[in-house]
C-alpha cells in the first residue's frame, strides 16, 4: 500500500486500459496523476479484467503495465471509505488470486516505481521486465502496515526467507540491478527498448502451445509446495493431456518439415472429426 490520497475522478475517466493484438492483451493501470495508485474502482476493474482474460480463449498472453512512467505506487489508502478495512483487503485478494490463477503466461512491464502492493502485483506475474530507472520497495513498514497482496507468499519463494525479511522489515528502496540480481526482475532493458522487447516476448508466448504452457505454469506453481514424488505424479497426470491436443502432432510435423509449428491448443480428436 502507499500513503497517497486520491482525488475525485470524472465518471468518464478510464482507470484501466485494455488493448488486444495478436493474441496478447495489455492491461494498463491508468491513474498517472497518482503514479497508478490502485483505488477502490481500479481494484474492482482490474479483478474483473483478469477474470475476463481467463474466460477469453483468444487471449494467449497478458502484459500488465502502468501509464505515465510508473508501474504502480501501491494501494491508494487515502480514499476515506466508510467500510471495514477487511472489505478493502478483499479487493486485493480478488486481484491477487485472479492473477495467480490465470492459465496464460503473464508479463509485468515495469517502468518507474513499483511500490508496496504495486510491486507485489508485478511479482504476481510470471515474468518481470524493468528499465534501469525502475525502483522497487516493500514500503509497508514505513506506513505502519504489514505486507499484503501476496508478498508474504511470493517473496520467500523468489528470494528466500532471509532476503524476504530484509526487504519487508527494512522497507528499503532497491534499484533494478539489485532486483535483477535477487531474481525479482527477469530482464532489465533500456527505456527506449523495453516496449519492443516486451512485444516480442509476449508474441513468442502467444505463439506457444496454449494448453501445454498452461499445464507447465500450473505444475511449476504447484511444485513450489510439493514433494518430488508429488511433482512427478502431477507431471505424469498432465502430460497425456498434451498428447490429446493437435499441438503435439503439429510440433513433430513442423520439425520434420523444418518450419515453425503453428500451435492452436485444439483437441486432437476434434481435429480428426473435422477432417
Amino acid at each position: 500500500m502507499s500513503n497517497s490520497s486520491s482525488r475525485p475522478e470524472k465518471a468518464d475517466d478510464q482507470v484501466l486500459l485494455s488493448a488486444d493484438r495478436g493474441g496478447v492483451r495489455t492491461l494498463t493501470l491508468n491513474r498517472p496523476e497518482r503514479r497508478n495508485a490502485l483505488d477502490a474502482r481500479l481494484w474492482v476493474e482490474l479483478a474483473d479484467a483478469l477474470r475476463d482474460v481467463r474466460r477469453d480463449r483468444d487471449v494467449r498472453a497478458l502484459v500488465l503495465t502502468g501509464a505515465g512512467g510508473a508501474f504502480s505506487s501501491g494501494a491508494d489508502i487515502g480514499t476515506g471509505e466508510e467500510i471495514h478495512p477487511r472489505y478493502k483487503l478483499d479487493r486485493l485478494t480478488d486481484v491477487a488470486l485472479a492473477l495467480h490463477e490465470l492459465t496464460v503466461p503473464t508479463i509485468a512491464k515495469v517502468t518507474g516505481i513499483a511500490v508496496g502492493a504495486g510491486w507485489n502485483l508485478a511479482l504476481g506475474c510470471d515474468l518481470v521486465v524493468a528499465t534501469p530507472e525502475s525502483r522497487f520497495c516493500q514500503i509497508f513498514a514505513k506506513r505502519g502496515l504489514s505486507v499484503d497482496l501476496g508478498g508474504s507468499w511470493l517473496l520467500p519463494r523468489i528470494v528466500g526467507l532471509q532476503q524476504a525479511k530484509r526487504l519487508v522489515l527494512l522497507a528499503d528502496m532497491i534499484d533494478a540491478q539489485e532486483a535483477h540480481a535477487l531474481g525479482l526482475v527477469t530482464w532489465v532493458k533500456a527505456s527506449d527498448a523495453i516496449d519492443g522487447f516486451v512485444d516480442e516476448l509476449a508474441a513468442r508466448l502467444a505463439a506457444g502451445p496454449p494448453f501445454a504452457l498452461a499445464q507447465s505454469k500450473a505444475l511449476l506453481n504447484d511444485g513450489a509446495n510439493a514433494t518430488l514424488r508429488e511433482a512427478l505424479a502431477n507431471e505424469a497426470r498432465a502430460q497425456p493431456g498434451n498428447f490429446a491436443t493437435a499441438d503435439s502432432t503439429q510440433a513433430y510435423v513442423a520439425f520434420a518439415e523444418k518450419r515453425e509449428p503453428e500451435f492452436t491448443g485444439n483437441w486432437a480428436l476434434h481435429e480428426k472429426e473435422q477432417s
Side-chain angles (χ1 to χ4, degrees):
M1 291 187 176
S2 74
N3 68 337
S4 56
S5 60
S6 66
R7 63 185 184 186
E9 295 178 348
K10 295 182 293 184
D12 59 353
D13 284 344
Q14 289 183 283
V15 297
L16 183 67
L17 307 178
S18 179
D20 289 349
R21 185 174 70 176
V24 178
R25 179 162 297 170
T26 299
L27 297 178
T28 304
L29 309 177
N30 189 41
R31 297 185 73 214
E33 74 284 358
R34 304 304 304 160
R35 295 193 294 181
N36 302 316
L38 291 109
D39 63 355
R41 177 183 168 193
L42 185 47
W43 282 120
V44 171
E45 290 195 15
L46 182 56
D48 288 343
L50 292 171
R51 295 188 191 104
D52 286 343
V53 170
R54 187 181 179 96
R55 291 188 290 260
D56 192 337
R57 297 302 179 193
D58 291 332
V59 178
R60 293 173 57 167
L62 172 72
V63 175
L64 186 60
T65 191
F71 184 78
S72 174
S73 59
D76 193 336
I77 63 174
T79 58
E81 288 183 287
E82 296 299 325
I83 62 173
H84 195 284
R86 178 56 188 266
Y87 297 133
K88 296 181 182 180
L89 269 295
D90 285 345
R91 297 173 186 146
L92 279 68
T93 297
D94 288 344
V95 167
L97 288 177
L99 179 59
H100 180 72
E101 292 172 356
L102 281 179
T103 57
V104 301
T106 56
I107 305 166
K109 182 168 68 173
V110 179
T111 58
I113 64 164
V115 170
W119 187 9
N120 292 336
L121 181 64
L123 292 178
C125 294
D126 301 316
L127 304 168
V128 180
V129 187
T131 67
E133 297 78 22
S134 300
R135 296 292 180 269
F136 305 87
C137 181
Q138 295 286 327
I139 201 170
F140 305 96
K142 292 183 178 179
R143 305 298 179 239
L145 301 170
S146 53
V147 61
D148 63 23
L149 204 74
S152 63
W153 188 88
L154 290 162
L155 284 166
R157 283 163 174 77
I158 300 172
V159 299
L161 186 56
Q162 282 194 332
Q163 286 293 344
K165 288 179 177 178
R166 191 262 292 191
L167 292 167
V168 171
L169 300 183
L170 296 178
D172 290 333
M173 185 78 73
I174 67 172
D175 60 23
Q177 286 70 28
E178 183 176 358
H180 181 259
L182 289 169
L184 295 161
V185 166
T186 323
W187 294 277
V188 178
K189 296 295 176 181
S191 57
D192 61 354
I194 189 171
D195 289 344
F197 179 83
V198 170
D199 286 348
E200 182 179 352
L201 176 63
R204 287 178 60 193
L205 292 169
F211 187 74
L213 292 185
Q215 297 236 84
S216 289
K217 177 174 172 175
L219 287 166
L220 290 168
N221 284 338
D222 293 343
N225 301 306
T227 65
L228 176 59
R229 183 174 295 274
E230 290 167 339
L232 289 168
N234 288 339
E235 291 172 2
R237 282 189 291 268
Q239 200 67 282
N242 297 313
F243 290 118
T245 71
D247 291 343
S248 179
T249 301
Q250 169 66 202
Y252 287 108
V253 171
F255 177 78
E257 296 177 352
K258 296 182 172 54
R259 61 173 176 81
E260 290 296 316
E262 296 179 5
F263 295 123
T264 63
N266 290 340
W267 187 34
L269 295 180
H270 176 71
E271 293 268 307
K272 291 177 182 177
E273 290 167 1
Q274 297 299 315
S275 61

